[in-house]
Amino acid sequence: MAQRKVTAFVDSQERLTEDVYSMWIREEEMAAQAKPGQFISVYTKDGAKLLPRPISICETNKETGMLRIVYRTVGAGTEEFSRYQAGDTVDIMGPLGNGFPLEEAAEGKTAFLIGGGIGIPPMLELAKQLNCNKEVILGYRDVLFLNEEFAPYGEVVLATEDGSAGTKGNVIDAIREHGLKADVIFACGPTPMLRALKAYAAEENITCFLSLEEKMACGIGACLACVCKTKNVDEHSQVHNARICKDGPVFRAEEVEL
């Protein structure tokens, strides 16, 4: 699938927490093509900032031709995005990456959908599209967001570092506290969480797919700025690396070193 850079329109923007925003973007072809786990590159209007910001696709609506991103403001680029209003234009490229393999969670199986922090948004479209039993485990530092939107698609279990909601601790603490079991794991979040889930999946002999979070530059696999160590030899660089933007961001847990 060819990547396209287009000028799209902001349909709406909502502030979810002090620093987390939800934006719906109208772009029919991209919304029609996007798969759960893919991302888009969002360009600023500042000519001095040439590199786009990679942001996971949270939801798509093929009927209305829109896609949703939920992002945290962490610098000048995302701060600019947070000021966009309905009717503003935004330059985006996508859909990018490989997405989650839906066929790994067939009807009758149970899947863990695990999101940590800003790795939570891409799990929402996955929850909508999977046709299996779903256990949604969401990890936060303290302030919750999006958790209520998962409720129609599966049981939602929360973990917070400060114990203000759900299990006090991390997502694995929550899994064990509730005695949850699964056939397959889909996860996105910070590297320490993914590293722990890789070990947990190996111990429990569970198939596990991880969506890696990484700073990116080009977003299409040309610059090698977002490589990770892997068991396989990359055809582009001829070393044991994989390009997260191009070969991922979703990998089998056993394929990558974290």
Side-chain angles (χ1 to χ4, degrees), residues 6 35 41 46 55 65 79 92 94 121 148 158 162 167 172 188 211 221 223 231 245-246 255 258:
V6 300
K35 300 175 183 177
S41 287
D46 184 350
I55 301 178
E79 179 65 30
I92 59 176
E148 294 181 353
L158 304 178
D162 65 355
T167 300
I172 295 179
C188 182
S211 179
C223 70
K231 290 183 177 180
C245 66
K246 180 75 171 180
E255 292 180 354
L258 298 170

Side-chain angles (χ1 to χ4, degrees), residues 81-253:
F81 303 154
S82 72
R83 297 193 297 271
Y84 290 0
Q85 299 178 2
D88 287 345
T89 60
V90 56
D91 288 342
I92 59 176
M93 178 185 288
L96 303 171
N98 60 352
F100 289 103
L102 305 185
E103 68 278 2
E104 294 286 340
E107 188 174 358
K109 287 189 174 183
T110 297
F112 282 165
L113 278 62
I114 304 176
I118 208 61
I120 290 170
M123 310 311 292
L124 184 55
E125 185 64 27
L126 180 64
K128 291 167 60 178
Q129 293 198 26
L130 281 181
N131 184 27
C132 68
N133 301 317
K134 287 161 280 192
E135 300 280 358
V136 181
I137 303 101
L138 306 178
Y140 301 86
R141 181 176 291 111
D142 43 29
V143 180
L144 306 182
F145 62 93
L146 289 183
N147 55 301
E148 294 181 353
E149 297 192 41
F150 284 89
Y153 310 110
E155 180 185 357
V156 179
V157 172
L158 304 178
T160 51
E161 292 181 13
D162 65 355
S164 57
T167 300
K168 182 176 182 179
N170 58 40
V171 292
I172 295 179
D173 295 327
I175 290 169
R176 289 177 170 150
E177 181 177 287
H178 290 267
L180 303 179
K181 302 293 181 181
D183 302 296
V184 60
I185 295 172
F186 300 108
C188 182
T191 299
M193 185 192 89
L194 300 183
R195 186 182 297 116
L197 285 172
K198 177 182 176 179
Y200 169 81
E203 291 170 7
E204 300 292 329
N205 195 29
I206 304 173
T207 302
C208 181
F209 294 90
L210 306 176
S211 179
L212 275 56
E213 293 184 342
E214 183 60 68
K215 292 182 179 179
M216 299 179 186
C218 72
I220 57 174
C223 70
L224 306 183
C226 63
V227 296
C228 66
K229 293 292 184 182
T230 178
K231 290 183 177 180
N232 304 319
V233 175
D234 177 50
E235 294 180 0
H236 188 73
S237 60
Q238 297 301 309
V239 294
H240 287 274
N241 286 335
R243 295 160 289 165
I244 293 174
C245 66
K246 180 75 171 180
D247 305 312
V250 179
F251 298 90
R252 279 186 174 271

Side-chain angles (χ1 to χ4, degrees), residues 1-2 4 27-36 38 60 62 94-95:
M1 184 185 302
R4 303 184 309 120
E27 217 302 308
E28 294 183 6
E29 188 171 344
M30 215 171 285
Q33 294 176 346
K35 300 175 183 177
Q38 290 188 301
T60 58
K62 293 176 172 53

Side-chain angles (χ1 to χ4, degrees), residues 14-67:
E14 178 185 3
R15 188 176 186 176
L16 303 183
T17 74
E18 182 179 349
D19 60 353
V20 176
Y21 291 79
S22 168
M23 184 192 300
W24 280 96
I25 299 170
R26 187 177 300 277
E27 217 302 308
E28 294 183 6
E29 188 171 344
M30 215 171 285
Q33 294 176 346
K35 300 175 183 177
Q38 290 188 301
F39 66 96
I40 61 172
S41 287
V42 186
Y43 293 78
T44 75
K45 300 183 188 302
D46 184 350
K49 297 180 177 66
L50 299 178
L51 297 178
R53 274 57 177 172
I55 301 178
S56 297
I57 297 170
C58 175
E59 285 188 271
T60 58
N61 188 321
K62 293 176 172 53
E63 278 113 28
T64 61
M66 291 194 290
L67 55 87

